[in-house]
């Protein structure tokens, strides 16, 4: 089970970081409508969400929703995302997840997928073909 979870996590990491890297740095401020996040805010939200879901649903602790300050540069945002994935990987490497943790892990991935899908729409709005998804 651990091997499959780690493989799924690595796939999510690679694709998320490819999507984050596909947006030119000059366009990280882009948002397709006034009432939605900028691309940078959306990517930061994914990074914060990883941490929040990890704590609440994988570690099964209680953490309030209290997002950190938005990262200011594409590199900082991508590093923040990468560190979130590192956190998930470290947890999976050191423990044998129980059923609740596995459910939490997949809930975390679902949240990532939901917002990453939005990010691909942002890319298309800028005329950028999103990276090809591989599974």
């Amino acid at each position: 089970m651990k091997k499959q979870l780690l493989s799924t996590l690595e796939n999510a990491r690679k694709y998320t970081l490819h999507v984050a890297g596909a947006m030119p740095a000059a366009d990280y401020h882009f948002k397709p409508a006034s009432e939605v996040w900028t691309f940078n805010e959306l990517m930061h939200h994914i990074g914060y969400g990883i941490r929040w879901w990890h704590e609440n649903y994988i570690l099964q602790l209680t953490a309030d929703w209290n997002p950190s300050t938005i990262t200011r540069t594409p590199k900082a945002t991508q590093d923040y995302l990468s560190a979130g994935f590192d956190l998930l990987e470290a947890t999976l490497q050191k423990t044998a997840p129980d059923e609740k943790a596995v459910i939490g892990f997949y809930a975390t991935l679902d949240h990532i997928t939901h917002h990453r899908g939005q990010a691909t729409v942002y890319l298309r709005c800028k005329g950028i073909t999103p990276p090809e998804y591989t599974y």
Side-chain angles (χ1 to χ4, degrees), residues 77-99:
T77 301
Q78 291 169 30
D79 288 348
Y80 186 65
L81 281 167
S82 188
F85 282 105
D86 289 346
L87 176 69
L88 291 175
E89 181 180 359
T91 297
L92 287 174
Q93 290 286 7
K94 70 181 176 185
T95 63
D98 64 17
E99 183 179 355

Side-chain angles (χ1 to χ4, degrees), residues 46-121:
I46 293 170
Y48 178 74
I50 290 170
R51 290 157 174 82
W52 187 86
W53 285 82
H54 173 262
E55 190 155 339
N56 283 277
Y57 293 100
I58 296 172
L59 299 180
Q60 301 165 41
L61 303 171
T62 301
D64 292 333
W65 183 260
N66 190 17
S68 59
T69 302
I70 302 292
T71 45
R72 299 219 181 263
T73 67
K75 180 176 181 343
T77 301
Q78 291 169 30
D79 288 348
Y80 186 65
L81 281 167
S82 188
F85 282 105
D86 289 346
L87 176 69
L88 291 175
E89 181 180 359
T91 297
L92 287 174
Q93 290 286 7
K94 70 181 176 185
T95 63
D98 64 17
E99 183 179 355
K100 284 185 180 180
V102 170
I103 291 168
F105 175 79
Y106 280 108
T108 304
L109 289 178
D110 189 51
H111 182 257
I112 293 165
T113 301
H114 165 67
H115 289 298
R116 191 179 57 219
Q118 292 172 328
T120 64
V121 173

